[in-house]
């Protein structure tokens, strides 16, 4: 079983819809959770970074962490064609000190298509 | 413009022919890292460097070498490439190597080994 599971999609929705992207994980000790966006032929870029449980909002994007269920979500409101990309979740295992190298554990990514 | 650059962007080669993929950043970052991205597997770290002359193995270092002689450059070397190294490679950098620093990724190098 992979440490982080993510449905590869593609997920296709009409413009303006609310999008929900999800990841599940197996290690209950994970505390740092990230969402990256990767456009075609580009490198990933950090979208949201959350610590522990709860919600974090940034414009049209909301990241949600449910540690009891080992489940994280990224919601996109009023989706736009420019949101079409692959979305990757990533997590940091608590194996090292705060100042040392951290190793991200990545989901495989969900391809999102927003239809105009 | 602050960025991470990689060269070449696309490379087709044959088994056993040594190659180097260059990575350079202009942000004076201490930390640099190489990843490979394969369908269904996500990103996996190959090697990382906390600073000049300091490198260490990631998850999948077999068949790869790196060096960090200057702060801005972190080349990835495949001494004897094999078909299982066909992949999309990303270089990344961050100000420091701790979890409070965002990693910035290069545009990727698509490598095919025949």
């Amino acid at each position: 079983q992979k440490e982080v599971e993510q449905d590869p999609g593609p997920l296709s929705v009409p413009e303006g819809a609310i999008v929900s992207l999800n990841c599940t994980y197996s290690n209950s000790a994970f505390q740092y959770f990230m969402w990256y966006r990767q456009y075609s032929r580009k490198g990933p870029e950090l979208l949201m970074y959350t610590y522990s449980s709860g919600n974090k909002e940034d414009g049209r994007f909301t990241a949600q962490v449910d540690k009891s269920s080992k489940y994280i979500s990224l919601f996109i409101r009023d989706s736009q064609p420019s949101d079409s990309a692959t979305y990757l979740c990533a997590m940091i295992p608590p194996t090292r000190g705060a100042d040392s190298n951290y190793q991200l554990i990545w989901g495989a990514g969900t391809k999102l298509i927003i239809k105009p | 413009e602050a960025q991470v650059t990689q060269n070449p962007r696309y490379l087709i080669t044959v088994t056993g022919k040594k190659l180097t993929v260059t990575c350079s950043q202009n942000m004076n970052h201490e930390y640099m890292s190489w990843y490979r991205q394969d369908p269904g597997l996500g990103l996996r770290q190959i090697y990382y460097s906390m600073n000049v002359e300091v490198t260490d193995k990631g998850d999948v270092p077999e068949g790869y070498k790196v060096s960090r002689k200057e702060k801005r450059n972190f080349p990835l070397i495949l001494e004897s490439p094999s078909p299982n190294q066909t992949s999309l490679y990303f270089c990344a950098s961050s100000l420091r190597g701790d979890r409070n620093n965002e990693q910035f990724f290069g545009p990727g190098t698509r490598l095919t080994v025949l």
Side-chain angles (χ1 to χ4, degrees):
Chain A
Q1 184 194 4
K2 291 181 187 175
E3 284 191 277
V4 179
E5 299 275 1
Q6 190 175 7
D7 188 327
L11 176 62
S12 182
V13 301
E15 182 177 355
I18 296 174
V19 174
S20 172
L21 301 164
N22 311 296
C23 286
T24 59
Y25 60 96
S26 57
N27 189 339
S28 58
F30 286 165
Q31 287 188 308
Y32 294 85
F33 306 92
M34 296 161 216
W35 285 96
Y36 280 78
R37 178 174 61 195
Q38 184 177 16
Y39 289 116
S40 181
R41 297 188 181 86
K42 301 276 190 182
E45 55 179 345
L46 183 64
L47 201 55
M48 301 283 281
Y49 186 171
T50 56
Y51 170 73
S52 198
S53 283
N55 292 358
K56 183 176 182 179
E57 193 172 316
D58 184 1
R60 296 184 295 111
F61 299 90
T62 300
Q64 189 175 79
V65 175
D66 182 349
K67 291 195 72 181
S68 62
S69 301
K70 290 183 279 187
Y71 190 87
I72 68 170
S73 301
L74 178 70
F75 297 98
I76 307 175
R77 291 184 299 280
D78 188 24
S79 56
Q80 305 293 311
S82 59
D83 295 327
S84 297
T86 295
Y87 289 80
L88 303 119
C89 62
M91 307 175 191
I92 301 177
T95 54
R96 296 186 174 89
D99 294 331
S100 62
N101 171 63
Y102 65 91
Q103 195 168 54
L104 290 171
I105 309 297
W106 294 83
T110 298
K111 184 172 183 177
L112 175 64
I113 299 168
I114 308 296
K115 298 175 292 184
Chain B
E1 180 190 354
Q3 60 183 343
V4 178
T5 56
Q6 294 178 229
N7 282 293
R9 293 289 312 279
Y10 302 91
L11 179 59
I12 300 174
T13 189
V14 296
T15 299
K17 187 176 181 181
K18 180 180 178 180
L19 66 92
T20 300
V21 183
T22 64
C23 173
S24 183
Q25 50 90 9
N26 61 1
M27 296 171 279
N28 201 35
H29 284 173
E30 290 182 357
Y31 181 90
M32 297 185 76
S33 179
W34 275 103
Y35 294 90
R36 59 179 289 173
Q37 186 177 35
D38 301 289
L41 295 179
L43 283 150
R44 294 179 291 168
Q45 191 178 50
I46 303 170
Y47 269 94
Y48 65 92
S49 170
M50 295 291 281
N51 213 325
V52 177
E53 302 290 4
V54 181
T55 63
D56 207 347
K57 297 176 181 178
D59 284 329
V60 289
E62 295 76 21
Y64 305 95
K65 283 176 57 177
V66 294
S67 68
R68 187 90 182 272
K69 294 185 172 58
E70 309 163 279
K71 201 170 189 179
R72 64 184 293 127
N73 297 322
F74 189 45
L76 179 69
I77 302 155
L78 285 72
E79 294 269 2
S80 183
S82 62
N84 65 11
Q85 292 178 298
T86 292
S87 187
L88 181 57
Y89 291 86
F90 287 101
C91 179
S93 73
S94 63
L95 187 60
R96 282 181 298 277
D98 62 86
R99 61 186 171 224
N100 296 311
N101 287 271
E102 176 183 354
Q103 288 195 35
F104 295 87
F105 284 79
T109 294
R110 185 166 292 281
L111 172 65
T112 301
V113 183
L114 302 174

